[in-house]
Amino acid sequence: MLGIRLIVGLGNPGRDYEATRHNAGFWWVDAVAATKSASFKAEKKFHGLAARLTIGSHEVWLLKPETFMNLSGRSVGALAGFYKITPEEILVVHDELDLPPGTVRLKKGGGHGGHNGLKDIIAQLGTPEFWRLRLGIGHPGDRSAVVNFVLNAPQRAEQALIDDAVDASLAGLPQLLSGDFSAAMLKLHTKPKPESI
Protein backbone atom coordinates (compact mmCIF):
# COMPACT_ATOMS: atom_id res chain seq x y z
CA MET A 1 0.00 0.00 0.00
CA LEU A 2 1.18 3.51 -0.80
CA GLY A 3 2.28 5.58 2.17
CA ILE A 4 1.88 9.32 2.62
CA ARG A 5 4.43 11.44 0.74
CA LEU A 6 2.80 14.87 1.18
CA ILE A 7 1.17 16.26 4.32
CA VAL A 8 -0.76 19.47 3.78
CA GLY A 9 -1.82 21.60 6.74
CA LEU A 10 -4.70 23.92 5.93
CA GLY A 11 -4.93 27.46 7.24
CA ASN A 12 -4.73 31.10 6.30
CA PRO A 13 -1.38 32.92 6.07
CA GLY A 14 -0.46 35.94 8.14
CA ARG A 15 -0.38 36.96 11.78
CA ASP A 16 -4.06 37.87 11.94
CA TYR A 17 -5.05 34.24 11.41
CA GLU A 18 -2.26 32.43 13.28
CA ALA A 19 -4.27 31.62 16.41
CA THR A 20 -7.67 31.02 14.73
CA ARG A 21 -9.47 27.67 14.70
CA HIS A 22 -9.31 27.53 10.88
CA ASN A 23 -5.52 27.22 11.19
CA ALA A 24 -5.53 23.92 13.08
CA GLY A 25 -3.99 22.20 10.04
CA PHE A 26 -1.04 24.61 10.17
CA TRP A 27 -0.59 23.83 13.88
CA TRP A 28 -0.33 20.11 13.10
CA VAL A 29 2.34 20.37 10.39
CA ASP A 30 4.22 22.90 12.54
CA ALA A 31 4.25 20.29 15.32
CA VAL A 32 5.66 17.65 12.92
CA ALA A 33 8.36 20.07 11.73
CA ALA A 34 9.24 20.93 15.35
CA THR A 35 9.83 17.26 16.23
CA LYS A 36 12.46 17.12 13.47
CA SER A 37 13.81 20.67 13.94
CA ALA A 38 12.82 21.35 10.33
CA SER A 39 11.97 24.79 9.02
CA PHE A 40 9.59 25.83 6.27
CA LYS A 41 10.85 27.73 3.24
CA ALA A 42 8.80 29.88 0.93
CA GLU A 43 8.38 28.01 -2.38
CA LYS A 44 6.97 30.36 -5.00
CA LYS A 45 6.26 27.63 -7.53
CA PHE A 46 4.17 25.77 -4.95
CA HIS A 47 2.38 28.91 -3.65
CA GLY A 48 3.23 28.00 -0.08
CA LEU A 49 5.71 27.18 2.64
CA ALA A 50 7.28 23.75 2.29
CA ALA A 51 9.66 21.53 4.25
CA ARG A 52 11.16 18.18 3.23
CA LEU A 53 11.74 15.69 6.03
CA THR A 54 13.11 12.21 6.43
CA ILE A 55 11.28 10.23 9.09
CA GLY A 56 12.64 6.73 9.52
CA SER A 57 13.19 5.47 5.97
CA HIS A 58 10.50 7.73 4.51
CA GLU A 59 10.79 11.09 2.81
CA VAL A 60 7.81 13.37 3.22
CA TRP A 61 6.89 16.89 2.20
CA LEU A 62 5.08 19.23 4.58
CA LEU A 63 3.13 22.03 2.94
CA LYS A 64 1.34 25.13 4.24
CA PRO A 65 -0.49 26.80 1.33
CA GLU A 66 -0.10 30.59 1.31
CA THR A 67 -3.04 31.06 -1.05
CA PHE A 68 -5.66 31.57 1.67
CA MET A 69 -8.02 28.71 2.48
CA ASN A 70 -10.36 28.97 -0.52
CA LEU A 71 -7.52 28.43 -3.02
CA SER A 72 -5.60 25.72 -1.13
CA GLY A 73 -5.86 23.33 -4.08
CA ARG A 74 -3.67 25.56 -6.22
CA SER A 75 -0.75 24.96 -3.84
CA VAL A 76 -1.44 21.25 -3.31
CA GLY A 77 -1.85 20.62 -7.03
CA ALA A 78 1.42 22.42 -7.85
CA LEU A 79 3.60 20.43 -5.42
CA ALA A 80 1.86 17.09 -6.05
CA GLY A 81 2.13 17.58 -9.82
CA PHE A 82 5.81 18.54 -9.69
CA TYR A 83 6.85 15.52 -7.58
CA LYS A 84 4.32 13.12 -9.15
CA ILE A 85 2.57 12.47 -5.86
CA THR A 86 -0.79 10.73 -6.31
CA PRO A 87 -3.94 11.73 -4.35
CA GLU A 88 -3.68 8.45 -2.36
CA GLU A 89 -0.25 9.63 -1.12
CA ILE A 90 -1.60 12.96 0.19
CA LEU A 91 -2.79 13.66 3.74
CA VAL A 92 -4.70 16.91 4.27
CA VAL A 93 -4.91 18.06 7.89
CA HIS A 94 -7.80 20.40 8.62
CA ASP A 95 -10.14 21.81 11.26
CA GLU A 96 -13.40 19.88 11.66
CA LEU A 97 -16.59 21.51 12.98
CA ASP A 98 -18.40 18.18 13.41
CA LEU A 99 -15.93 16.87 16.00
CA PRO A 100 -15.46 18.21 19.54
CA PRO A 101 -12.10 19.80 20.50
CA GLY A 102 -9.61 17.10 21.45
CA THR A 103 -10.88 14.60 18.85
CA VAL A 104 -8.88 13.47 15.83
CA ARG A 105 -10.19 11.29 13.00
CA LEU A 106 -8.51 9.84 9.92
CA LYS A 107 -10.45 9.04 6.80
CA LYS A 108 -10.01 8.66 3.06
CA GLY A 109 -12.23 10.34 0.51
CA GLY A 110 -15.70 11.73 1.10
CA GLY A 111 -17.19 15.14 0.49
CA HIS A 112 -15.92 18.54 1.59
CA GLY A 113 -18.66 19.16 4.19
CA GLY A 114 -18.68 22.85 3.31
CA HIS A 115 -14.95 23.23 4.03
CA ASN A 116 -13.67 25.56 1.31
CA GLY A 117 -10.07 24.33 1.55
CA LEU A 118 -11.13 20.72 0.90
CA LYS A 119 -13.53 21.88 -1.83
CA ASP A 120 -10.70 23.54 -3.78
CA ILE A 121 -8.30 20.61 -3.30
CA ILE A 122 -10.94 18.18 -4.64
CA ALA A 123 -11.46 20.49 -7.64
CA GLN A 124 -7.72 20.81 -8.35
CA LEU A 125 -6.87 17.11 -7.91
CA GLY A 126 -10.00 16.02 -9.77
CA THR A 127 -10.84 13.49 -7.05
CA PRO A 128 -11.83 13.38 -3.37
CA GLU A 129 -9.75 10.22 -2.86
CA PHE A 130 -7.02 11.65 -0.66
CA TRP A 131 -6.54 11.11 3.06
CA ARG A 132 -7.84 13.62 5.62
CA LEU A 133 -6.83 14.08 9.23
CA ARG A 134 -9.74 15.91 10.87
CA LEU A 135 -8.95 17.95 13.98
CA GLY A 136 -12.05 18.65 16.05
CA ILE A 137 -12.70 22.31 16.86
CA GLY A 138 -16.36 21.99 17.88
CA HIS A 139 -19.36 23.81 16.42
CA PRO A 140 -20.86 27.16 17.47
CA GLY A 141 -24.33 25.56 17.31
CA ASP A 142 -25.69 27.92 14.69
CA ARG A 143 -24.81 27.70 11.01
CA SER A 144 -24.80 31.47 10.59
CA ALA A 145 -22.10 31.75 13.28
CA VAL A 146 -19.64 29.34 11.61
CA VAL A 147 -17.53 31.88 9.68
CA ASN A 148 -16.98 34.04 12.72
CA PHE A 149 -16.31 30.93 14.83
CA VAL A 150 -13.56 29.44 12.62
CA LEU A 151 -11.88 32.84 12.19
CA ASN A 152 -11.55 33.35 15.94
CA ALA A 153 -9.22 31.78 18.49
CA PRO A 154 -10.47 28.88 20.63
CA GLN A 155 -11.14 29.45 24.31
CA ARG A 156 -8.22 28.48 26.53
CA ALA A 157 -9.72 25.13 27.60
CA GLU A 158 -10.54 24.24 23.96
CA GLN A 159 -7.03 25.22 22.86
CA ALA A 160 -5.53 22.90 25.49
CA LEU A 161 -7.67 19.99 24.21
CA ILE A 162 -6.71 20.70 20.58
CA ASP A 163 -2.99 21.00 21.46
CA ASP A 164 -3.10 17.70 23.37
CA ALA A 165 -4.85 16.00 20.44
CA VAL A 166 -2.24 17.34 18.01
CA ASP A 167 0.61 16.05 20.18
CA ALA A 168 -1.01 12.65 20.73
CA SER A 169 -1.84 12.19 17.05
CA LEU A 170 1.81 12.56 16.01
CA ALA A 171 2.24 9.00 17.31
CA GLY A 172 0.41 7.76 14.20
CA LEU A 173 2.89 9.37 11.80
CA PRO A 174 5.16 6.31 11.21
CA GLN A 175 2.12 4.21 10.19
CA LEU A 176 0.81 6.97 7.90
CA LEU A 177 4.17 7.18 6.13
CA SER A 178 4.47 3.42 5.72
CA GLY A 179 0.91 3.07 4.41
CA ASP A 180 -0.40 1.04 7.35
CA PHE A 181 -3.59 3.08 7.65
CA SER A 182 -5.56 0.63 9.78
CA ALA A 183 -2.79 0.73 12.42
CA ALA A 184 -2.69 4.54 12.12
CA MET A 185 -6.46 4.72 12.67
CA LEU A 186 -6.20 2.47 15.71
CA LYS A 187 -3.55 4.76 17.20
CA LEU A 188 -5.35 7.97 16.32
CA HIS A 189 -8.85 6.91 17.32
CA THR A 190 -8.03 5.19 20.61
CA LYS A 191 -8.01 7.43 23.64
CA PRO A 192 -5.03 6.62 25.88
CA LYS A 193 -6.19 4.96 29.10
CA PRO A 194 -5.38 6.92 32.25
CA GLU A 195 -2.58 5.22 34.14
CA SER A 196 -3.77 3.28 37.14
CA ILE A 197 -2.48 4.46 40.48
Side-chain angles (χ1 to χ4, degrees):
M1 199 170 205
L2 298 171
I4 296 299
R5 292 173 56 207
L6 168 60
I7 300 174
V8 183
L10 294 189
N12 285 307
R15 280 203 115 132
D16 292 352
Y17 298 102
E18 234 167 69
T20 64
R21 292 179 178 93
H22 224 14
N23 274 35
F26 277 10
W27 304 342
W28 202 86
V29 291
D30 282 340
V32 174
T35 65
K36 296 287 163 189
S37 304
S39 48
F40 286 88
K41 290 182 181 65
E43 295 279 0
K44 261 202 174 115
K45 64 175 179 272
F46 303 141
H47 317 288
L49 303 174
R52 192 176 205 163
L53 307 185
T54 302
I55 299 174
S57 58
H58 301 281
E59 262 204 354
V60 63
W61 279 98
L62 302 179
L63 178 65
K64 299 199 292 186
E66 291 262 275
T67 50
F68 285 94
M69 187 64 85
N70 297 5
L71 297 173
S72 299
R74 190 176 167 207
S75 177
V76 178
L79 193 146
F82 190 83
Y83 289 108
K84 299 187 168 39
I85 297 171
T86 65
E88 292 79 13
E89 297 171 308
I90 298 172
L91 174 69
V92 176
V93 187
H94 65 91
D95 56 304
E96 177 58 73
L97 288 158
D98 295 333
L99 294 172
T103 311
V104 178
R105 289 290 177 266
L106 176 68
K107 74 170 197 172
K108 187 181 179 195
H112 54 74
H115 194 293
N116 289 328
L118 292 177
K119 197 179 193 173
D120 195 54
I121 292 168
I122 292 168
Q124 291 287 338
L125 296 179
T127 176
E129 291 302 306
F130 51 88
W131 288 90
R132 298 103 186 271
L133 189 66
R134 303 154 65 214
L135 302 175
I137 59 166
H139 197 288
D142 184 349
R143 235 165 136 184
S144 63
V146 163
V147 172
N148 195 35
F149 181 77
V150 298
L151 293 178
N152 272 289
Q155 292 167 2
R156 191 175 289 178
E158 292 174 343
Q159 185 72 62
L161 288 168
I162 296 166
D163 290 345
D164 287 349
V166 167
D167 291 343
S169 62
L170 296 182
L173 197 53
Q175 288 77 22
L176 291 168
L177 299 184
S178 66
D180 191 349
F181 294 104
S182 52
M185 278 186 189
L186 200 62
K187 267 204 168 147
L188 292 164
H189 299 177
T190 310
K191 279 256 187 264
K193 290 182 177 68
E195 286 179 28
S196 52
I197 298 160

